């Protein structure tokens, strides 16, 4: 069945313990993205589909400024962003 339910597309931005950024869209394989390319890469993904929102997965040991960088990009372009913690500490 060709249902036309608009499911929100998720662009996942993950930051590993080395501070490396990786971006994937939908169920696709993640692509390593350098810090200076992050802004244009994310905006490029979102431009294709404005319902896209960003799920941010950040390792808890990385400097907070790296998380803030992604938040800033989201704010600048008025993107929807969800922070998904990697390993929830109870």
């Amino acid at each position: 069945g060709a249902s036309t339910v608009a499911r929100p597309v998720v662009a996942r931005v993950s930051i590993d313990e080395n501070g490396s950024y990786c971006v994937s869209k939908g169920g696709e394989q993640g692509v390593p993205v350098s810090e200076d390319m992050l802004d244009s890469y994310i905006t490029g993904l979102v431009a294709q589909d404005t319902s896209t929102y960003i799920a941010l997965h950040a390792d808890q040991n990385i400097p907070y400024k790296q998380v803030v960088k992604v938040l800033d990009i989201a704010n600048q372009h008025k993107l929807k962003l969800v922070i998904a913690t990697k390993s929830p500490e109870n």
Side-chain angles (χ1 to χ4, degrees), residues 10-25:
V10 183
R12 280 193 177 71
V13 178
S14 48
I15 313 172
D16 69 15
E17 67 275 9
N18 303 315
S20 304
Y21 297 92
C22 186
V23 182
S24 64
K25 184 169 181 177

Side-chain angles (χ1 to χ4, degrees), residues 5-70:
V5 180
R7 301 222 355 249
V9 180
V10 183
R12 280 193 177 71
V13 178
S14 48
I15 313 172
D16 69 15
E17 67 275 9
N18 303 315
S20 304
Y21 297 92
C22 186
V23 182
S24 64
K25 184 169 181 177
E28 292 167 27
Q29 188 68 39
V31 180
V33 177
S34 68
E35 197 166 323
D36 9 324
M37 289 298 300
L38 206 56
D39 192 312
S40 55
Y41 194 88
I42 289 175
T43 46
L45 280 184
V46 175
Q48 300 162 25
D49 184 346
T50 52
S51 70
T52 303
Y53 71 91
I54 298 164
L56 175 60
H57 298 260
D59 188 275
Q60 51 213 17
N61 300 320
I62 60 161
Y64 190 66
K65 65 178 192 325
Q66 294 200 267
V67 174
V68 170
K69 181 173 180 67
V70 180

